[in-house]
């Protein structure tokens, strides 16, 4: 997967393209390889100052698709915070 550089305040969105119509999608966002509270929506906002120093943080979303009794997963590109 590729890397994209983002700044604090950027809204990141999960890519839902290519899933068959009717697929149930679930989202799980990871920050620096760990699940974070509230990171289960199709979008998330990149954190930053003054609340946290997010420089270098890495966001990735995993999309779980359930269709016809089968489950598959897709991971996004890595979003790296810089400012």
């Amino acid at each position: 997967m590729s890397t994209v550089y983002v700044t604090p305040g950027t809204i990141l969105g999960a890519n839902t393209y290519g899933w068959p119509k009717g697929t149930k999608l679930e989202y799980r966002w990871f920050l620096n390889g760990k699940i974070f509270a509230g990171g289960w929506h199709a979008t998330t906002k990149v954190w930053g100052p003054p609340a946290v120093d997010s420089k270098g943080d890495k966001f990735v979303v995993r999309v779980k698709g359930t269709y016809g009794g089968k489950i598959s997963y897709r991971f996004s590109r890595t979003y790296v915070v810089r400012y």
Side-chain angles (χ1 to χ4, degrees), residues 34-78:
K34 297 180 181 176
I35 293 171
F36 61 88
W40 46 270
H41 298 283
T43 62
T44 195
K45 186 175 182 178
V46 176
W47 310 325
V52 295
D53 180 7
S54 59
K55 189 173 184 179
D57 281 353
K58 296 175 182 161
F59 288 82
V60 173
V61 64
R62 179 190 70 203
V63 181
K64 174 183 174 183
T66 305
Y67 182 77
K70 295 183 180 180
I71 297 173
S72 57
Y73 295 93
R74 294 184 189 167
F75 286 86
S76 71
R77 62 189 67 188
T78 301

